[in-house]
Amino acid sequence: MLSKRNSFAGSNGWVCCACRSLRGSVQSRGRGFASQPADRKSRQKLPAKPARTRFAPSPTGLLHLGSLRTALFNYLLARATGGQFLLRIEDTDTKRTVPGAEDRICRDLEWAGLQWDEGPEVGGPFGPYRQSERTAIYQTHVQQLLESGHAYRCFCSAQRLDELARMRSKLGLPTDYDRTCHGITKEESDEKASKGHSHVIRLKVPDVYPRYDDLIYGRVGGARPPKKIVTHAQQSFEDPVLLKSDGLPTYHLANVVDDHLMKVTHVVRAVEWMPSTPKHVYMYEAFGWQAPAYAHVGLLLDQQGQKLSKRHHNTGIDSYRESGIFPEALDNFVALLGWSHSLGSDKLGPAQLISNFDLKFTKGNTVVSFQKLNFLQRLYSEAYAEADGSELDLMVQRASDVVKKQENFQLPAGQKLPDYVRAILKADAKSYTPLTDFFERHKSFFQFDLQHDGMENRRSEYASFVVEVYWKLQDVSPSEWTKEKIHDQLDQAILTVKSTDMEAKEGTTLSGTKRTPKDLMSELRKIIMASRPGPPMADCMQILGRESTLERLSRAVPSSSTVQQTPSPEYASNAA
């Protein structure tokens, strides 16, 4: 949590000055950088002008839940203000770049409905939109910082920097740079660079970072850290690397230059980037540019308060798609992780999210409850089933594919799998979550050799009810076989049994029997559906059909009953 004392401290307890600025802003008027909170309500309002926002992933892996939330917030801000949403690929870390990752990220964003206005595949006036294709741009701009004295070349070898860091760590000192190369004259630096001496370019950070207004945390920065008496050997400076020895930029340089040249007005990103923001704001001042507005949203935590990890559902977005989660449900769920609204329902489709979006972000981290995702998924499933449109068509297709993967499944004679699955989904749309459980939940619709566990022990108690149901349904013709007619017949059977039980209280042979409607329907579900959960009983019987229902009932009554075993209807095995 941000409010903990050593949230950004290393193992030796030291905290860099950028992190001290964040500590000061969050702990409010603590030591380090001061925070002057602006009017919170005014910060939560949308900007008056169209916002240009961006999502800038690195193609080093899958698009995860936290990354999708960052993209979604930036997308909604752009759409809500009539602005533009940009996609920029930050692929300068060639060692960590995963082949195919960029394409997967693009496909996941498209599936989630977050179509970008500028970026890879669609182009735009401020391209190219891959940082690996903008190297010359960064080199030109870092030269400006060299000439203005805001940056300098560092010729220290990797070995020297490693030895310096290890020595300082042993002494309990910060492992930042000591500015050895800052004292090199411009002439000497230019000469060494012209001769091909390996070097990086560092930012010369100021003693005090400039203030900036965070849209969530208010005014950040501006206070001078308390002075300490240190020896020359103890001096250290953050001075982050801007341009690496291979000529490629670091995140600090590339994102500042790109955001400015691409005219980005607002940046919504995770709070873990907040310690870097003072450096970025200072770089904007060094270039003479206006910085965009920043909003740092809290981290996503699991139920134990730990940062969401792959072990706790933070897997790739494609896993949600493959499990049958609707993109609208996932977007809805993700939008509520750190953003609040005053509407009466949490079910907010894409248009509602855009029309109601503002900057009312939660201050602090957010604990993720995946029960909420399942709840929203059920709401969307039921709405799509009721609408009976293209969304239901897709649900039917995907559920049918799950059934086809089973080794043995049966359908009532004459039934086609898509029609059969559609009927099940319309009756029990909530079962669509998760998709992988669809067959297991509805196994009794696809397997007709059901085992009635425990029936012999209770058959004498419920035999009369089963027989009554059988004869009531026998009277229903195939043309009348609807859930409404079936429901009426079941009600009549229950009334008949209740009447019998009332007589039993007056000394009949059934004395002492107590059979509630709930008990009776539970027993009926055991017979028809092998006790599996699912739609109401009348819906189940309508889907199974008249012949299959009567056949299951006839097999469940004692042989001494007057009901004769109904011949098994023909079934289609593994039919598509």
Side-chain angles (χ1 to χ4, degrees), residues 517-530:
K518 182 178 180 181
D519 291 335
L520 296 174
M521 295 307 294
S522 176
E523 193 68 18
L524 196 58
R525 181 169 292 276
K526 177 184 291 186
I527 295 169
I528 302 298
M529 304 300 294

Side-chain angles (χ1 to χ4, degrees), residues 38-55:
D39 178 29
R40 181 173 176 80
K41 288 187 177 181
S42 64
R43 295 199 309 269
Q44 294 175 344
K45 294 180 180 179
L46 291 176
K49 297 181 180 179
R52 282 180 63 83
T53 65
R54 50 81 167 173
F55 176 54

Side-chain angles (χ1 to χ4, degrees), residues 125-257:
F126 303 105
Y129 293 90
R130 294 183 183 88
Q131 289 185 340
S132 60
E133 301 171 5
R134 300 172 62 84
T135 303
I137 297 174
Y138 307 130
Q139 293 174 345
T140 298
H141 283 83
V142 82
Q143 190 65 34
Q144 295 179 22
L145 296 180
L146 284 172
E147 294 173 356
S148 65
H150 290 94
Y152 62 94
R153 297 187 184 93
C154 174
F155 297 92
C156 292
S157 66
Q159 181 181 356
R160 195 248 169 194
L161 294 174
D162 182 62
E163 291 175 352
L164 176 66
R166 283 191 285 110
M167 179 193 70
R168 289 180 175 278
S169 179
K170 289 180 180 179
L171 296 174
L173 298 172
T175 57
D176 286 336
Y177 186 55
D178 59 1
R179 279 190 182 169
T180 293
C181 292
H182 181 256
I184 299 176
T185 63
K186 180 181 183 302
E187 292 73 20
E188 182 182 355
S189 176
D190 290 345
E191 181 181 359
K192 294 181 73 171
S194 65
K195 291 182 178 180
H197 286 233
S198 178
H199 65 278
V200 299
I201 297 179
R202 294 180 179 272
L203 175 69
K204 182 180 181 294
V205 302
D207 293 334
V208 179
Y209 284 112
R211 292 182 176 184
Y212 73 95
D213 289 316
D214 188 275
L215 295 174
I216 298 176
Y217 290 98
R219 184 63 58 86
V220 179
R224 183 179 294 274
K227 290 185 177 181
K228 294 181 180 179
I229 299 176
V230 297
T231 65
H232 176 73
Q234 292 175 325
Q235 285 186 314
S236 65
F237 307 89
E238 287 186 281
D239 291 1
V241 173
L242 299 180
L243 201 70
K244 296 178 287 187
S245 59
D246 59 5
L248 293 176
T250 62
Y251 173 80
H252 299 301
L253 176 65
N255 101 89
V256 167
V257 171

Side-chain angles (χ1 to χ4, degrees), residues 34 57 80 109 123 157 191 278 325 425 427 480 534 539 551:
L109 290 174
S157 66
E191 181 181 359
I325 297 295
L425 285 174
E480 296 178 308
D539 294 69
E551 189 270 336

Side-chain angles (χ1 to χ4, degrees), residues 30 58 72 87 90-91 106 184 194 244 262 284 349 412 447:
S58 298
L72 179 63
L87 176 62
E90 298 191 343
D91 57 349
C106 291
I184 299 176
S194 65
K244 296 178 287 187
M262 295 179 183
Y284 277 100
Q447 294 183 348

